[in-house]
Amino acid sequence: MASRPTEREFLEFARALEPRLRAALVARFGPHRGREAAAEALTWAWEHWDRLEGVENRPGYLYRVGTRRATRPRWFRGVPTEAPRDEWPWVEPGLPSALAALTVAQRQAVVLVEGYGLSYTETADLLGVSRGTVQTHVQRALARLRSDLGVRSDV
Amino acid sequence: MSELGTQVRELIETKAPPLDLAQVVDTPIRTRPSRRRPLLAAVGVTVLVVLVGLASRELVRDEPPVPIIAPLPPSPVEPAPPPAIEAAPAPTVEPGSRLEWELVDPGLDGPWSLVDGGDRFVVVSRRGELRTSVDGIGWTQLTGSLEGGHYAAWQGTVLSWAPSWRGWTGKVDLRLTDGTVDRWSVPGIRDAAIGPHGVVVVASLSVEQATRAFRTEEIERASAAWHTLDGQNWQPADGFPSDLQELTIVGTPNGFYVAPRIGPPGEIWHSVDGRSWAPLPRADDVPETRQWRQLARWGDDAVLLSLTDEGLEYLHITPSGPELLVRVDQAVATAPWLRTVAGPLGIVTVDPEAGHVVYSATGRDVRSGPLSDALQLDWTSQVDPMSTEMAMTDRAILLAIDDLTDPRYDYRTADRVWAVARPAPPDHLP
C-alpha cells in the first residue's frame, strides 16, 4: 500500500511550499498563469503523491510540474475563468515594469531571494540551477532594478 | 529583507494571492495518475482542428444538426475478438436462480478500475494500463493506455474521461480496438457513454462546480450532448434534454438511454443513433416516487434501477417506454453507493455500504441477502462504498470492493477485494 499523507500532513507540506512555488511560477509566467500553474502543481501532488515518493527535491519536482502545466497548449490547460486582479499594492510605481524588463531567470532569482527570503541554495534547488547561477542572476537583477528605478540603495 | 525585496513580495502577494489549499485536498483521489506520452503529430493536428471547432462552437448550437434519416453505417468501432484465454463455461440461468460468490485473486496489483464491456470485463490500472477477461479469472493484456478516471466500454473499445469538475476542460480518451488511443479536450464534460452506436459525451458545468475551482468565475450551462461514431467527427446531439444536471446514461444495441439520476421523476430519453433524442412514453403503472436511478445495459436495451421510499424497483427500458419488472419492498441503504449491473446472467444490485445484494435472474424474480459471509469482510469498518465496481459477462459477475485496512487514511486504497459470482440452480438453496 502506498503511504499517502493525511490531509493534515499534506496541508502542512503544501503550506510550506506554496509561497515559494507560486512566487517562482508567477515570476516566470505572470500572476494569472503562474498562480494557476502553482494550483495545478499542488493538486497534482495531492492526486499523485505516490509519484513523489523517493523524490529528494520535491519543491523542484513540483516546480517542473507547474512549468509543464503552464506551458501546455492553451486548449489543453483548460478554461481560464479568473481574471487578473486590478488591485495594486503600495509599491514603487515603476517596479512592475522594471521587474518585467528583467530576464525570466533574473526575475525568478530576485523574487525568490529578495522577495521571499530563500537562500541561494534553496532557490537553486527549486529552479534546478546551480547556486552560483542564482547568485549571478540576483546580483544582475538588483543592479538593473536599481538602475531602472533610479535608486542607489534599497536597504 | 531589503525594501526592494519587500515591495517585490508585496506586489506578488497582491497580484497573485495565496491559494486556498483546502481546495487542493478536496480533489478526489480517484483520479488516476497521468502518464506523459508524446502527442503524435498527425493525431495532434487532427485533434486540434476538432478542438478548435469544439471550442468555437462549444455548447452553442449555432447551426442545426444534420437530421439523421438513413440508418447509420456500421460503427468503425468494431468489437475486438474475444481474448484468447480459456474461460470458464457459461452457467445456466433459471428463474429463481441464486448467486454463488467466490473470492478470487485476479493477479491485479493495485487499485484497478473495473469496467463493463458487455461481453468482457476490462480493468484499467492507475497508470492507464488495460487488461481484459471474460470470466474474471484469466486476464489478457491490452495495448494502449488511458487517462481519465471514469470509464465505460463496449466490447474492446474503451472510453475514459476526466470530468471538468474543477472548472477545467475535461479530457476524453477513446481506446480503439486496434490499440490506438484518441484524445480530446471537452469543455464542461460531465458524463459519457459508449455503445454499438458510438460515443455520446454530455457536457455541462454547474455553478457549484465552478465556484469550487481555483478559478472562481461562475458559469452555468445547460446539459448538451455530442456524438461521434469514429472518434474524429463530432456532431451536436439534437433534442438532448437540456435541464438534466445529474443524469445516468447508457449505450445499448438499440441506442442510448438517459434519465435523471436524482430528484423528482423525469422523462427517460432515447436516441437510436446518439444524435437525435426524444422522450420515451411514460408508463402509467410506474409510481412517481423515485428518488435515485441508475441505468444499466440489459440485452438490447436497458434496465433502470429506481430507488423508492419503500425499496427499489427494476424497470425494463425499451424504445416503447419503461415497463415495471419487479419491485423489492425493502429499504436499502444510501442510494449513491448502490451499484447495478445487468446482462445475460440477470440483474444484480449491490449495496456496498450495508453489504447487501439483490439479484434477479430473469428480471421478474428477485432474491436478496447479505454479502458478508461470502466475501469475508467486516462491512462496518473495512468497506469503502464509494469505490465499489461491478460488471457482468455471460460467464460471471465480477465485483471489486475496496478494503479499507487502515482507517487513518481517507483515500482509495490499493487493496481491492475481488469476487466472482455465478448463478446456481434454485434447488441448491439450503
Side-chain angles (χ1 to χ4, degrees):
Chain A
M1 181 186 297
S3 59
R4 279 195 60 80
T6 61
E7 277 192 16
R8 176 182 291 182
E9 289 166 347
F10 179 82
L11 284 173
E12 282 177 12
F13 165 80
R15 279 193 198 101
L17 175 63
E18 189 268 347
R20 70 178 77 173
L21 181 65
R22 175 166 46 90
L25 291 165
V26 165
R28 177 161 178 180
F29 298 108
H32 187 210
R33 218 165 121 198
R35 188 170 181 269
E36 282 183 357
E40 294 206 33
L42 288 172
T43 304
W44 185 94
W46 173 241
E47 290 176 330
H48 306 86
W49 187 262
D50 56 331
R51 292 171 69 177
L52 280 174
E53 281 184 316
V55 175
E56 197 171 320
N57 179 9
R58 289 179 178 173
Y61 191 93
L62 290 178
Y63 168 73
R64 289 195 293 278
V65 170
T67 303
R68 283 199 299 270
R69 296 296 169 113
T71 51
R72 280 175 164 182
R74 189 170 185 80
W75 58 267
F76 199 79
R77 288 207 311 271
V79 185
T81 57
E82 187 180 47
R85 285 189 168 193
D86 284 336
E87 186 182 343
W88 286 94
W90 287 96
V91 297
E92 162 63 40
L95 181 59
S97 56
L99 280 172
L102 299 177
T103 66
V104 168
Q106 288 172 352
R107 189 164 54 245
Q108 284 185 301
V110 79
V111 162
L112 292 170
V113 172
E114 293 294 318
Y116 285 80
L118 268 64
S119 68
Y120 290 137
T121 305
E122 287 173 323
T123 306
D125 285 346
L126 181 62
L127 302 180
V129 296
S130 72
R131 187 180 183 281
T133 303
V134 173
Q135 205 164 356
T136 304
H137 286 320
V138 170
Q139 287 168 355
R140 289 181 179 169
L142 284 175
R144 189 163 174 185
L145 285 175
R146 286 172 187 144
S147 169
D148 289 353
L149 297 173
V151 293
R152 282 176 172 272
S153 168
D154 51 69
V155 178
Chain B
M1 191 180 296
S2 66
E3 175 59 26
L4 180 61
T6 305
Q7 292 204 12
V8 166
R9 181 168 188 156
E10 181 72 14
L11 181 65
I12 289 186
E13 293 297 309
T14 304
K15 298 300 286 181
L19 300 164
D20 181 0
L21 296 174
Q23 292 183 349
V24 171
V25 294
D26 276 350
T27 304
I29 299 303
R30 185 182 177 84
T31 304
R32 272 50 177 172
S34 63
R35 292 185 68 190
R36 290 173 56 232
R37 287 172 295 162
L39 193 62
L40 297 175
V43 176
V45 169
T46 308
V47 170
L48 200 55
V49 169
V50 173
L51 287 167
V52 167
L54 273 176
S56 60
R57 298 174 64 177
E58 207 159 316
L59 302 175
V60 181
R61 296 184 202 161
D62 49 358
E63 296 174 10
V66 179
I68 305 300
I69 300 170
L72 286 169
S75 166
V77 184
E78 291 294 339
I85 54 176
E86 190 172 341
T92 305
V93 181
E94 304 171 37
S97 289
R98 65 171 189 140
L99 291 179
E100 283 187 343
W101 292 87
E102 176 190 359
L103 285 173
V104 295
D105 179 7
L108 303 171
D109 184 22
W112 294 65
S113 287
L114 173 60
V115 194
D116 192 338
D119 66 346
R120 70 199 72 184
F121 304 117
V122 178
V123 289
V124 189
S125 78
R126 293 182 63 180
R127 298 193 179 279
E129 306 155 80
L130 295 145
R131 292 184 195 172
T132 188
S133 170
V134 293
D135 60 3
I137 307 295
W139 292 85
T140 303
Q141 182 93 29
L142 292 177
T143 56
S145 178
L146 298 176
E147 293 182 9
H150 294 259
Y151 305 98
W154 171 253
Q155 298 175 340
T157 306
V158 187
L159 174 73
S160 81
W161 68 96
S164 322
W165 59 269
R166 285 191 301 227
W168 300 342
T169 298
K171 288 182 294 187
V172 173
D173 284 1
L174 186 64
R175 185 255 179 209
L176 303 175
T177 51
D178 64 1
T180 58
V181 176
D182 285 337
R183 173 169 299 164
W184 307 274
S185 171
V186 180
I189 180 173
R190 293 294 313 282
D191 217 328
I194 186 171
H197 300 280
V199 173
V200 167
V201 164
V202 181
S204 68
L205 190 62
S206 72
V207 170
E208 181 187 4
Q209 288 173 313
T211 53
R212 284 171 60 85
F214 290 112
R215 309 168 179 88
T216 53
E217 181 186 344
E218 293 191 1
I219 302 171
E220 187 166 25
R221 292 180 181 133
S223 295
W226 297 82
H227 173 261
T228 184
L229 263 179
D230 57 6
Q232 297 295 322
N233 301 299
W234 290 81
Q235 295 286 331
D238 181 32
F240 190 82
S242 62
D243 57 345
L244 286 185
Q245 288 298 318
E246 293 287 337
L247 52 86
T248 171
I249 184 169
V250 67
T252 75
N254 277 343
F256 292 90
Y257 294 94
V258 66
R261 183 181 291 277
I262 57 174
E267 288 172 314
I268 300 166
W269 294 69
H270 174 240
S271 173
V272 173
D273 53 20
R275 297 185 187 178
S276 302
W277 290 80
L280 293 177
R282 284 177 180 266
D284 294 334
D285 61 340
V286 177
E288 296 198 342
T289 57
R290 284 161 275 171
Q291 301 170 335
W292 188 86
R293 304 158 200 88
Q294 184 199 342
L295 282 165
R297 189 185 297 136
W298 194 39
D300 288 340
D301 291 291
V303 65
L304 180 75
L305 164 75
S306 180
L307 189 70
T308 72
D309 294 333
E310 291 77 32
L312 57 85
E313 57 193 31
Y314 293 127
L315 288 86
H316 189 199
I317 311 297
T318 67
S320 305
E323 177 199 5
L324 182 63
L325 289 171
V326 68
R327 184 174 290 131
V328 185
D329 295 329
Q330 174 183 324
V332 292
T334 319
W337 312 138
L338 292 180
R339 294 289 180 270
T340 293
V341 67
L345 303 186
I347 307 168
V348 185
T349 296
V350 165
D351 177 358
E353 194 170 64
H356 209 81
V357 60
V358 178
Y359 174 58
S360 175
T362 62
R364 299 290 182 185
D365 60 321
V366 68
R367 289 173 172 275
S368 65
L371 266 175
S372 308
D373 296 342
L375 301 192
Q376 302 163 19
L377 286 175
D378 176 2
W379 292 91
T380 57
S381 64
Q382 283 186 284
V383 174
D384 177 12
M386 294 180 65
S387 50
T388 300
E389 292 163 340
M390 190 163 48
M392 182 188 294
T393 65
D394 64 351
R395 312 299 171 96
I397 298 148
L398 186 58
L399 175 68
I401 294 182
D402 278 4
D403 177 12
L404 289 183
T405 53
D406 191 339
R408 290 176 304 167
Y409 298 131
D410 179 20
Y411 67 97
R412 285 176 65 83
T413 170
D415 300 328
R416 303 209 88 176
V417 174
W418 296 82
V420 162
R422 295 187 186 87
D427 57 356
H428 286 189
L429 279 171

